[in-house]
Amino acid sequence: MRQDAHRLEKIQQIMPSLRYIKKLGSSLKKGAASCFAMNKKSRASARPEFVCFGVTDNCTLRCRMCHKWKEDIFIKQKAEEPTLGDWKNCVNSLSRIAERPLQINFGGGEPLLKKDILEIVRFSKSRKLETNIATNGYLIDEAMAERIADSGLNSVIISLDSMDEGTHDYLRGVSGVYSGVMKAIENLEKYGKGIYKGICCAIYDKNMDDILKLAEWVEKDSRLNSIYFMAAMQPNNTPLDSLWRKKEEFGFLWPKDSKKACSLIDELIKMKNNNFKITNSVCQLKAFKSYYAYPENFVKNTKCNMDTALHVSSCGDIFLCYRWGLLGNIKNDDVADVWYSKKAEKVRQDIANCKNNCHFLLNCFFKGDYPFKLA
């Protein structure tokens, strides 16, 4: 009896402490939940909106506006490429932070040269991600078209610079490419009727007179879903030069007559407003017009939106934008962890202050809800 009384006395002594601990625990739990909710909210507001995997730098062509087929001037030592498992881990990690729908754009080089490209596409589809391949079309014979259809790929965008065979082949640096594009469209139509098929064309001095004919051809061709235009940029794999437009070697790219280029874009805007199959927004086309008229001026009134883009290079390097800091590599790092890292936040701050009218901003990931200066 004496022992029971002693135990009761001890319990009564510690009860206030137990009540305090319980109350403190409840507060900590609520605080942790609140912090988690805030973290979850901030993460949700910074999800990837544009994703591009440059799975290879190899190419079948010798394009005059892209020098990726030459020895890389920036990377002298060839890095080991990611394995299929690395790419799958990358996709799996991305799928955990992606807000659907989200599309992975597979580019290059020529992405169809990548041995496992369609397996990566198939795996991406299994993770509920949409997929697109940007291609020159040269490798899409009947067998390849059938494999593409079997992979579940959502869309194929084929480069075509002109309805004039000579002009297209000149810009692509190899004879027979125009013919290959036409066969690729036929083969995709035959084996992949459900695949979205589009044309991509950049506006250069060399092909300016052919642009409207190309838009009209796409409009009339029931096999094609769209045409997307891009603005001329400094060729890939060349030393960065703010005055590249004035160099004689690139004279066939930058329009010699800026007023003519702007008038052409006005015509494209009219076509767009008449429901032609042009996927550029009117706002983006007006930004092109401003860029061609005043290339030195930053076309946006607000910050660059590449802070919500994700790029992975052929060697697995992870970037938000290639012009800014290297964040990691998919061979060693988890993409989701990299996306929310302090290093990524620092790069986002740098991007906010960037004033370059770059290819990624104007051509790849254009956000039309931003105000743009008009020429």
Side-chain angles (χ1 to χ4, degrees):
M1 291 291 291
R2 188 178 299 172
Q3 287 179 343
D4 290 343
H6 180 70
R7 287 195 188 101
L8 180 60
E9 183 180 357
K10 287 291 185 183
I11 291 171
Q12 288 173 341
Q13 288 175 353
I14 67 172
M15 277 302 292
S17 298
L18 290 173
R19 291 191 189 99
Y20 173 76
I21 291 171
K22 184 178 180 182
K23 184 178 180 181
L24 179 63
S26 178
S27 298
L28 289 171
K29 186 176 180 181
K30 288 179 180 178
S34 176
C35 288
F36 177 77
M38 288 173 64
N39 189 41
K40 188 175 181 182
K41 183 178 179 181
S42 64
R43 287 190 170 202
S45 66
R47 297 180 190 273
E49 296 181 35
F50 173 83
V51 178
C52 183
F53 292 172
V55 291
T56 182
D57 289 323
N58 297 324
C59 192
T60 50
L61 305 185
R62 298 294 181 264
C63 297
R64 299 174 189 274
M65 78 296 286
C66 174
H67 295 187
K68 277 197 172 185
W69 49 274
K70 295 182 178 179
E71 181 181 357
D72 199 308
I73 65 170
F74 300 106
I75 304 174
K76 295 301 180 184
Q77 187 173 354
K78 189 71 173 178
E80 183 180 347
E81 293 185 355
T83 64
L84 175 59
D86 292 330
W87 283 110
K88 285 185 175 181
N89 288 338
C90 173
V91 171
N92 203 41
S93 179
L94 173 64
S95 71
R96 298 200 308 269
I97 60 173
E99 184 174 6
R100 274 61 168 186
L102 180 69
Q103 179 176 271
I104 299 177
N105 296 279
F106 295 98
E110 171 50 54
L112 292 176
L113 283 173
K114 177 71 174 175
K115 179 183 176 182
D116 300 315
I117 181 61
L118 295 179
E119 182 57 35
I120 301 171
V121 166
R122 189 174 286 106
F123 184 79
S124 301
K125 291 292 293 178
S126 76
R127 294 299 181 268
K128 311 300 181 186
L129 295 167
E130 296 182 4
T131 52
N132 171 67
I133 286 180
T135 175
N136 58 45
Y138 202 62
L139 297 176
I140 305 180
D141 55 15
E142 291 197 33
M144 178 61 79
E146 196 166 7
R147 288 178 57 208
I148 288 172
D150 185 60
S151 73
L153 183 74
N154 293 99
S155 60
V156 178
I157 304 299
I158 303 175
S159 296
L160 181 59
D161 304 308
S162 172
M163 289 305 295
D164 180 87
E165 184 172 359
T167 299
H168 182 72
D169 287 0
Y170 169 81
L171 287 169
R172 296 294 158 175
V174 174
S175 297
V177 182
Y178 175 88
S179 176
V181 168
M182 296 303 147
K183 289 177 182 176
I185 294 170
E186 290 178 13
N187 293 332
L188 288 169
E189 179 67 12
K190 180 177 180 180
Y191 292 100
K193 285 187 178 295
I195 297 175
Y196 183 103
K197 297 178 287 295
I199 296 296
C200 180
C201 173
I203 301 171
Y204 303 123
D205 187 77
K206 179 69 176 177
N207 67 345
M208 268 206 306
D209 292 335
D210 306 329
I211 295 296
L212 298 182
K213 294 176 186 176
L214 181 58
E216 290 168 353
W217 174 72
V218 170
E219 181 64 25
K220 294 175 182 177
D221 196 318
S222 61
R223 301 170 301 174
L224 298 171
N225 297 92
S226 67
I227 182 167
Y228 183 80
F229 291 102
M230 290 187 172
M233 293 286 163
Q234 180 179 343
N236 290 316
N237 199 28
T238 58
L240 289 175
D241 185 351
S242 61
L243 299 178
W244 74 270
R245 297 176 299 275
K246 299 179 181 180
K247 289 193 170 183
E248 186 177 348
E249 62 180 307
F250 301 137
F252 64 97
L253 296 177
W254 189 257
K256 297 177 180 63
D257 187 341
S258 62
K259 290 184 178 180
K260 181 178 178 181
C262 292
S263 294
L264 168 62
I265 294 169
D266 282 336
E267 291 302 313
L268 292 177
I269 291 172
K270 290 178 184 178
M271 287 180 162
K272 172 70 178 181
N273 287 331
N274 285 322
N275 297 316
F276 271 60
K277 292 187 280 190
I278 297 172
T279 51
N280 306 77
S281 66
V282 170
C283 185
Q284 184 182 22
L285 292 172
K286 288 182 177 180
F288 286 1
K289 184 178 175 182
S290 178
Y291 169 65
Y292 280 121
Y294 309 105
E296 295 84 6
N297 296 346
F298 188 53
V299 296
K300 298 189 76 169
N301 291 329
T302 57
K303 71 179 183 66
C304 177
N305 50 265
M306 294 305 295
D307 56 345
T308 54
L310 175 69
H311 289 87
V312 181
S313 74
S314 62
C315 62
D317 286 339
I318 305 169
F319 300 84
L320 300 185
C321 175
Y322 282 118
R323 285 178 176 255
W324 296 100
L326 171 64
L327 300 177
N329 190 287
I330 65 170
K331 290 176 284 189
N332 310 306
D333 302 302
D334 182 88
V335 166
D337 290 343
V338 169
W339 181 260
Y340 294 116
S341 67
K342 290 183 179 179
K343 191 183 289 188
E345 285 306 309
K346 172 61 171 63
V347 169
R348 288 187 179 97
Q349 293 171 15
D350 293 334
I351 289 173
N353 296 316
C354 182
K355 300 297 181 183
N356 285 310
N357 292 322
C358 72
H359 169 66
F360 308 109
L361 170 67
L362 271 172
N363 292 332
C364 296
F365 180 35
F366 179 89
K367 291 187 72 171
D369 54 341
Y370 285 91
F372 279 73
K373 297 175 183 176
L374 304 183

